[in-house]
Amino acid sequence: MTTRSDTTPHIIQIVGYKNTGKTTLTAALVGHFSSMGLKVAAIKHDGHDHFEMDQEGTDSYRFGEAGASAVVVMSEKRTAIMERQATKLEDMLSYLSGYDWIVVEGFKDASYPKFVMVREEKDLTLVNQLKGVVGIISWLPSEQFIERSTVSRDTWYSVHETEDIAKALLAMVESECRQNGKV
């Protein structure tokens, strides 16, 4: 697979209700793409604003506590930026424009292609509420799922088939590139 330095990154969202496996799937996709030599970024939405990246007792924590609006920690191999302000998803995607793939966990209302995580039958309501759904990742057996929805087998994946999900995403992108004459 070619890198995306000449174009924008491929973006896929992983959305669903709490405890449906979003983080697990996001990490699996990041792992699959990274193992192929692709440059991958992950973005996670925290709807409850509970997270704190810097830990008490560290210098970065002290700087934040002292009132710094942004704290940057840099080493030879890593850079971390903690800003005490909201950032629009589009602005962060623009910042990460040099990546091959961006896997976004959450941001249900964003208009990017998305997989919806379905743990229980009631979670299916989310599929019809969202725009850009390209697939459903389910904990339910496919027979039970497909009988009770308008979803075809082609867009349904088992939560346990992360490699197949990654391959399906790559195939979608390849098909899209062929249609646009970019292969």
Side-chain angles (χ1 to χ4, degrees):
M1 172 116 310
T2 58
T3 59
R4 310 276 305 155
S5 59
D6 57 337
T7 59
T8 58
H10 300 298
I11 300 168
I12 187 67
Q13 289 181 255
I14 309 301
V15 301
Y17 295 119
K18 187 175 180 175
N19 296 323
T20 54
K22 297 181 301 292
T23 300
T24 301
L25 179 60
T26 298
L29 291 175
V30 167
H32 285 296
F33 294 148
S34 295
S35 71
M36 298 174 62
L38 298 171
K39 189 174 177 186
V40 185
I43 297 174
K44 180 178 175 71
H45 180 250
D46 178 6
H48 306 288
D49 200 27
H50 289 208
F51 76 96
E52 193 66 46
M53 287 179 63
D54 48 353
Q55 299 294 313
E56 190 171 346
T58 63
D59 292 345
S60 61
Y61 181 86
R62 288 181 59 199
F63 299 152
E65 288 296 297
S69 296
V71 176
V72 180
V73 179
M74 297 168 42
S75 71
E76 254 182 66
K77 297 184 180 186
R78 297 189 307 168
T79 300
I81 302 170
M82 173 66 96
E83 293 183 300
R84 293 179 186 254
Q85 68 178 22
T87 302
K88 293 179 185 172
L89 177 60
E90 290 74 22
D91 292 341
M92 188 51 60
L93 293 171
S94 178
Y95 176 79
L96 298 170
S97 64
Y99 287 75
D100 299 312
W101 276 91
I102 301 175
V103 183
V104 179
E105 181 184 327
F107 295 95
K108 288 183 189 94
D109 295 329
S111 60
Y112 300 99
K114 60 184 59 71
F115 280 128
V116 178
M117 303 292 297
V118 175
R119 188 185 259 308
E120 301 174 14
E121 198 169 328
K122 65 183 171 99
D123 298 343
L124 286 170
T125 58
L126 192 56
V127 175
N128 298 323
Q129 294 171 5
L130 300 177
K131 293 181 179 153
V133 175
V134 296
I136 289 119
I137 315 299
S138 180
W139 293 79
L140 305 172
S142 62
E143 300 76 29
Q144 175 189 350
F145 184 85
I146 292 169
E147 286 173 11
R148 292 181 169 87
S149 72
T150 58
V151 175
S152 75
R153 177 66 179 110
D154 295 340
T155 59
W156 180 92
Y157 304 92
S158 167
V159 72
H160 305 292
E161 301 170 335
T162 57
E163 190 171 334
D164 292 340
I165 296 164
K167 286 178 182 176
L169 277 171
L170 294 170
M172 262 188 256
V173 166
E174 199 171 298
S175 172
E176 200 176 278
C177 288
R178 269 197 215 104
Q179 289 174 357
N180 297 331
K182 294 182 180 178
V183 171

